[in-house]
Every structure is written in C-alpha cells, then in structure tokens.
Amino acid sequence: MTYRVAMDIGGTFTDVVCYDERSGAVTASKAPTTPGDLAEGVFAALGRVVADPSAISFFVHGTTQGLNALLERKGARVLLLTSRGARDVYQIARGNRDRMFDLRYRKPAPLVPRQDVMEAGGRLDYRGRELVPLDEEAVRAAARRARAEGFDAVAVCLLFSFADPAHELRAGEILRAELGEDVLVVLSHEVAREWREYERTSSAVMEAYTGPVVRRYLGRIERRFAERGLAVPVHVMQSSGGLVNASYAMRRPLQTLLSGPVGGTMGGVAAARLLGRGNAICVDMGGTSFDVSLVVNGRPDLSAEARIEGHPVLMPVVNLHTIGAGGGSIAYAEAGALRVGPESAGAVPGPACYGRGGTQATVTDANVVLGRVDPAWFAGGLMTLDAEAAGIAVAELAGELGLDPLRLAEGVCDVANARMAQAIRTLTVEHGVEPREFALVAFGGAGAMHAVFIARELGISEVVVPRFPGAFSAWGMLEADVRRDLTHPYFRHQDTLDGADMSGNLVKLERDAFEALAGQGVPERRRRVEHAVDMRYEGQDYTLTIPLRDAAEPAGPGFAAEIAARYAEAHTSRYGHATPEAPVEFVMLRSTGFGSFPRTAAPAPGAPEQAEPHVRDVIFDGAVHRTPVLRRSALEGELAGPAIVVEETATTVVPPGCLVTVDDNGFLIVKVDQ
C-alpha cells in the first residue's frame, strides 16, 4: 500500500496524480472523461499511473455530479415539509434584486414548486421552547404522498429548528420509517444549524435536490472499487477545501457541490507555501470552464455562505467565480460581432482539431491555427491534433465575419482572455483587492496557454505555472486536510456576554469536532480544531466571522473589549469604516476540525530530457515569430520569450518580451512585460 492517488473529473478530461510514498515520486496523467459512465474514465486514468491498483493506500477525487444536476436542472423531485403557516417562505425568498439595472431580471425559479410544499402543525419559539407539539399525523401524510407520487427526496425545514431540532428529528424518524432507504430525507438543522429561515430552507432543498445524484455516483464508484478487490476508502473533496470519506459525503452530499474546482485552490495554497508567498490568484482553465479563487495570507478565501445559480446555501465554501470559458468554448458570430462561449464543445464532439466530429471553431482551434499548440505532442502525445480541421473551422467563421483567418483566431483568444480577466476582477477589484499585489498561479489544461495574456490585462507581473498544471487540481487534493465544520447558534449582546459560558460551548464543539475526525479515521496526533465567532454591530443584519485563539479565550479577562476591537478592525478592512463606540452582538459559534496527512513532495521534474527542440511559426500580436518548442523536462536556467513549453498535461505559452525561469520546486516563473 504505497500510492496516494487524487483525481479531478473535468468536462473534457479526467486528470490523475499519483504520489509514491516510498520514493516520493509524483506522476500525472489524464484520460478522456466518459460522460455516460464517469467510473470508466476514473479507472482508465488510474491505469495510466498505477500498474497495481491494490497498492493504492489513499484515494480522493472531486466530483461535479451535484453541481451538474443543479446547472442542468436534472436533480431529484423534492417534497418540502414546513411548519404550518410557513409554506411560502421558500417561494417568497428575499425581496432584494441582485442586478439593479437589469430590466429583465427574474428571480431564480425555485427547485420545489409550491404545490410540492406541505405543512405540519407544531411550533417552537425563537429560543427553541415547545409551544405546540409536532403534528405527527401530518408528517405521515407527507410520507404517504411522497411514496404515492414517486418523490426522490423529502426536505424538512421547521421553524426555529436551529435552536432545538427536536421536532425535525422526530419528523425524520417518521419519514425514514415510512419511506425506507429509497427516499432521501434531509433535515435542515443537519445541513445548516443556522438562523435565517429562507437560507436554511434553501440549503435543505439544495441538498435534497442534488443528493440522490451524488449518492448514486459515489455508491457506484465504491462498488467498482470493491469489484476490483480494492479495499482503499474513497474520499471526496468538499466545497470548503477539506476532505471527507464517501460514506459521510453520501449523508451530507451538499458539501460536495463545488468539490471539483476547489482542489485547485488547495493546490494554490500549497504552491504559495512552497514559493514563500502569501497571496495568489488561482486560475483553472479547462475544456469547459474558467474558475478563479484567491489565496490570502496563505489561506484559501472562504465564506460561510454562498449563492449557487441564485440559490443561497449555508455552508463554508471557497469563494469561486466560474464562467463558461475554456479550451472547448465555441466561437460564433452574433449581430456581426465575435462571441466566445459560454457554450462548450465538451469532450464529445470536442474542438474541431480533436477529430471527433466537431465542426465549430473553439478557443483550442484558434490556438492551433496561431501555432501556439504542438499538434503532434498534445496532452503528452496522447492525442494528435488535426490542424487542418482547426483551420477549416476558423476559416469558416472568419468568412462569416469578413476577417482574415489568422486575425480571427487571435481575436478569439483576445475575447476569451478579456472575459477571463473580467472574471478575476469580480473577485479582486470589485472587493477592493488589488490584483497587482498577487502572483497568478495558472493551471488546468489550458490555463498556462492564456495566463500571461490575462496577467497583462490586469497588470500582474508574475505568473507561476506549477508542475503538471493540467492535473494541478488533483495534486491540490493530496495537499488538503480532512475537514469537519460545526456551528452553534449563540445570540448574545456584548453587555450580557458570559465569557465562561461561551467558552464552555466552544469546548463542547471542540469535543464534537475531535469525535468527527476520529470517525473519519484521523489519528489523534494529526487532529486540531480552530474556533471563530460571527459578530455584528447592534442593529446590523449580516455578520463577519472573527477567529479566536482557542476555546478558552472567551473566559479570559477583557475578552469582550478585545474581540470588539478585532471586529472593528475586520469591519474596516471589509467595508472601509468601523464604529468602535457601537456595541457588538454575537450570533454564531464556529468550530472547524482539521485532520492532516503527511504532505506530498512538490511534483519536481526528473532528470533533464534530451529531446531536441524544434522551431515553428507562431502568431503574436499579428506578427509571425520563429518560436522554439521545448519539452518542460528539458528546461534549465532562464529563457527569453517567445517560447512554447510542452508537457504531458498542458502547454505554456511565453510571448515575446517575457522571461521564464525554473525554480527549485520545478515551477515555471514567468516575468510578464507590461
């Protein structure tokens, strides 16, 4: 049992990284994603890096099954059970408009139509004290309807269950006894034990809507492992950047919603640590999408809640901004102008140059026409691209727009680069963050091909291309910790705060976190817990999360004044101002358990390869440049652009005027001319 394996299942390719615990060697490869049965692509990719699968000691992967079901509106049919009188909470949602100047704005359509919402009598007050007993017959009526009408899941969200879940727990017992294992039962306090009725309802509905898809997928993967005699437990990346085993993920499938893209962020955290940098912009450009995330002060940029397709979810999530821009993004004419994406050619038929039946020009086809891709050594030689087909597709679109094909190809790349630069501004400039203070860490199959051009748009002076950029998200999963997040509602005013009581609640959360980590198989010596508290000024609605040193800190002298000062500092950093004289309120206690694994070695290169470079014509800024094409493993020292650097999982484009070096970790460091 010597191999630790991580896998990132993308829309076009399934990327895999294998770490040999004995030798420290890291290898990476990829296989085409198999949309009909993703498990086929998983085992095809495994076969490329591990000769003996029985030697695998650890397996983790990211999945987009739940997210895809949401995006395509192909999730489960859900019955929602609410407290009597609260049937319309989910339908009414919030009254605020996300896009103030969009005259055609429509609120996202609910995942559960109103006719599929039922009520049950029973009521708790805001402190969790029972006012009216739960109407158990109404719960059984909901179960009968769910069974009779073929619902896949039942979501239960009763008023004030975050304060005391007794009614929800009893409802869950009845529903599970009546419906068995065939129908998923989701209790809102188990998904998000937090206040705000609509957001908690939305989170429960989202888990019920995506859960059956995720459970079926993970169950199928585990069965395939068992059929091959593999006893290794399957782990899954969470949206928070932490890992859990598949059995927990099947119980709490919502946590996996963004698990695929988050692996790259955790790789960015590891890369920033190796490079000695605190801040990094992580960009992951694959065949279908472009994902942006931040590393700030050496940690992933997280939020306690998120909006996904317009629906709020209460769970820790890495702040990701995703747009439909990838190598497979289709270029087309609209009203006489060039458009690129968000529609993608995907894995099948793929770009025209793949030779799988695609005929529309894509970003990858444009790069082939510009000479920025080596058709004979694409994806490490796994594919030979059809340059002629790419040229025909680009020429057809160019004729439609009345442009020269080479000019059109460069325009396709420029439009894609501008869209990706704007996506980065959404997470940086629009939040008061200066992108020029960050390094750009580029990965994904196409990220290194476009990174320098994006950096120029933003004034970023340094681009970092890690080893195996096409499989970097998978490597990041090997660098992640097991993570469990626990919350406890704690509404207190600064003047009435009992520090010892707060500390006691944190100690209980810490104990629960350690038990949860033990249940994930984490040895005691590798467990740790971090604490934080959600705070706000009196009269405010929304909160900021303030870290605590440990569970005992609130019991110390002067805590209330000190934490209020810390809150004022955080408020100034976030909003540009603070009101130190205003009293603060405490809303939520948060404890996060981490279980660490031994760190993998940086995927450094092996011995320099002796392959002879060749030279080809490449278009940069409308001019032809004789450009060397080099194997990455052959690079040493410093190299001035233009250059094309090829490797198994990606191609790095170094335009004229830029300088690329190889550091001690085997990372390419590109100094960008402005």
Side-chain angles (χ1 to χ4, degrees):
M1 306 287 282
T2 60
Y3 298 114
R4 296 178 61 201
V5 177
M7 193 170 293
D8 178 30
I9 305 171
T12 305
F13 286 102
T14 293
D15 302 308
V16 60
V17 169
C18 176
Y19 174 64
D20 189 329
E21 295 176 316
R22 293 176 303 180
S23 67
V26 180
T27 56
S29 189
K30 60 175 61 190
T33 295
T34 51
D37 184 358
L38 293 178
E40 291 183 16
V42 166
F43 287 101
L46 273 179
R48 296 184 186 276
V49 294
V50 180
D52 179 12
S54 65
I56 298 175
S57 62
F58 178 85
F59 176 80
V60 59
H61 77 304
T63 173
T64 57
Q65 288 292 288
L67 182 61
N68 290 343
L70 174 64
L71 296 176
E72 298 171 11
R73 288 294 178 122
K74 294 181 179 178
R77 187 182 177 200
V78 179
L79 180 70
L80 174 60
L81 182 64
T82 69
S83 296
R84 182 168 296 154
R87 181 183 181 190
D88 292 316
V89 164
Y90 182 60
Q91 306 296 320
I92 293 171
R94 295 291 180 188
N96 56 303
R97 289 174 60 116
D98 290 336
R99 297 190 295 274
M100 291 293 293
F101 303 104
D102 185 352
L103 298 180
R104 298 180 180 179
Y105 172 75
R106 295 289 184 273
K107 289 199 299 186
L111 299 177
V112 178
R114 188 175 186 273
Q115 63 265 26
D116 291 341
V117 182
M118 296 183 68
E119 298 178 325
R123 181 61 64 90
L124 306 176
D125 71 5
Y126 72 99
R127 294 180 180 175
R129 297 176 299 195
E130 185 176 83
L131 301 178
V132 179
L134 176 67
D135 183 351
E136 297 188 359
E137 180 53 35
V139 179
R140 292 188 175 90
R144 288 193 294 271
R145 181 183 172 189
R147 183 171 54 251
E149 298 184 19
F151 283 90
D152 304 298
V154 178
V156 182
C157 190
L158 304 180
L159 289 173
F160 304 113
S161 59
F162 64 87
D164 188 328
H167 280 188
E168 278 196 358
L169 288 170
R170 178 57 185 151
E173 289 177 3
I174 295 170
L175 290 168
R176 288 173 179 135
E178 295 277 342
L179 298 172
E181 295 294 324
D182 293 335
V183 178
L184 175 64
V185 176
V186 174
L187 307 181
S188 72
H189 78 276
E190 293 179 345
V191 178
R193 193 168 181 179
E194 301 189 30
W195 71 306
R196 293 199 182 100
E197 207 63 30
Y198 165 61
E199 284 77 6
R200 183 160 45 84
T201 303
S202 175
S203 301
V205 167
M206 186 85 75
E207 176 153 300
Y209 187 78
T210 61
V213 176
V214 175
R215 293 174 78 188
R216 285 194 298 269
Y217 165 73
L218 291 176
R220 189 161 58 246
I221 291 291
E222 287 199 312
R223 285 194 301 273
R224 294 290 185 87
F225 268 67
E227 289 168 3
R228 287 164 170 78
L230 305 181
V232 58
V234 175
H235 287 78
V236 185
M237 174 66 72
Q238 298 180 96
S239 303
S240 62
L243 308 180
V244 289
N245 58 32
S247 61
Y248 177 81
M250 284 190 277
R251 295 197 306 273
R252 296 272 73 82
L254 183 65
Q255 301 292 334
T256 71
L257 203 60
L258 299 174
S259 76
V262 166
T265 308
M266 302 313 296
V269 171
R273 182 180 68 248
L274 291 169
L275 293 167
R277 291 166 173 77
N279 298 332
I281 298 171
C282 304
V283 295
D284 181 359
M285 182 181 180
T288 305
S289 63
F290 177 79
D291 303 314
V292 185
S293 58
L294 302 181
V295 177
V296 181
N297 296 324
R299 301 172 72 95
D301 181 33
L302 268 73
S303 289
E305 59 183 284
R307 296 186 71 86
I308 303 173
E309 286 295 287
H311 301 283
V313 288
L314 296 174
M315 66 176 180
V317 58
V318 171
N319 285 322
L320 281 164
H321 184 58
T322 301
I323 63 171
S329 293
I330 295 172
Y332 60 98
E334 183 180 72
L338 174 65
R339 300 284 187 267
V340 180
E343 185 180 355
S344 172
V348 178
C353 60
Y354 281 13
R356 296 175 179 165
T359 58
Q360 294 178 281
T362 66
V363 173
T364 297
D365 293 314
N367 278 300
V368 170
V369 169
L370 295 170
R372 298 176 184 176
V373 177
D374 184 358
W377 215 74
F378 185 73
L382 293 177
M383 295 179 65
T384 299
L385 300 183
D386 187 341
E388 183 179 354
I392 292 172
V394 170
E396 184 176 330
L397 179 59
E400 189 177 345
L401 290 167
L403 295 173
D404 173 78
L406 290 178
R407 184 179 177 191
L408 184 279
E410 198 156 21
V412 169
C413 292
D414 289 344
V415 170
N417 292 335
R419 291 190 63 219
M420 291 184 282
Q422 183 56 40
I424 293 174
R425 292 188 186 98
T426 301
L427 275 191
T428 56
V429 176
E430 293 184 13
H431 289 81
V433 175
E434 175 53 71
R436 287 176 292 188
E437 297 176 357
F438 287 66
L440 186 70
V441 179
F443 48 96
M449 199 179 303
H450 291 260
V452 174
F453 303 98
I454 297 169
R456 281 176 171 171
E457 289 249 356
L458 297 166
I460 296 172
S461 61
E462 184 176 81
V463 169
V464 177
V465 182
R467 286 286 297 169
F468 308 132
F472 185 70
S473 290
W475 180 69
M477 295 176 194
L478 289 180
E479 291 294 306
D481 295 330
V482 170
R483 175 173 176 142
R484 290 291 300 274
D485 293 275
L486 303 176
T487 60
H488 179 70
Y490 197 79
F491 295 92
R492 300 289 190 278
H493 190 278
Q494 176 179 344
D495 295 339
T496 60
L497 176 67
D498 182 340
D501 179 69
M502 178 186 281
S503 181
N505 279 279
L506 288 170
V507 168
K508 182 180 183 303
L509 284 176
E510 183 173 280
R511 185 168 58 249
D512 292 343
F514 278 129
E515 290 178 0
L517 292 174
Q520 295 286 315
V522 179
E524 184 175 359
R525 69 183 185 281
R526 295 193 176 276
R527 304 173 203 160
R528 76 180 195 280
V529 177
E530 295 180 0
H531 303 282
V533 57
D534 287 359
M535 298 176 60
R536 64 187 181 189
Y537 283 126
E538 186 178 34
Q540 281 185 322
D541 185 19
Y542 289 88
T543 62
L544 292 176
T545 301
I546 308 302
L548 298 171
R549 286 191 289 271
D550 53 42
E553 183 185 2
F559 169 75
E562 182 180 345
I563 199 69
R566 263 190 264 169
Y567 176 75
E569 183 180 346
H571 201 280
T572 301
S573 176
R574 177 69 177 271
Y575 299 111
H577 66 90
T579 312
E581 67 277 8
V584 296
E585 294 176 332
F586 304 89
V587 176
M588 185 76 61
L589 302 180
R590 300 185 182 275
S591 297
T592 303
F594 295 94
S596 62
F597 293 107
R599 298 300 182 193
T600 62
E609 190 173 331
Q610 300 304 314
E612 287 294 326
H614 64 274
V615 178
R616 61 186 293 117
D617 289 341
V618 181
I619 308 299
F620 293 103
D621 298 321
V624 178
H625 293 260
R626 295 294 288 167
T627 303
V629 180
L630 308 102
R631 300 284 178 91
R632 178 166 181 166
S633 56
L635 284 183
E636 293 181 289
E638 193 172 82
L639 176 68
I644 305 296
V645 182
V646 296
E647 57 184 300
E648 287 189 0
T649 63
T651 296
T652 301
V653 176
V654 184
C658 297
L659 191 68
V660 58
T661 58
V662 183
D663 76 354
D664 294 339
N665 298 302
F667 294 172
L668 299 184
I669 311 296
V670 183
K671 298 298 181 183
V672 182
D673 67 317
Q674 299 296 330

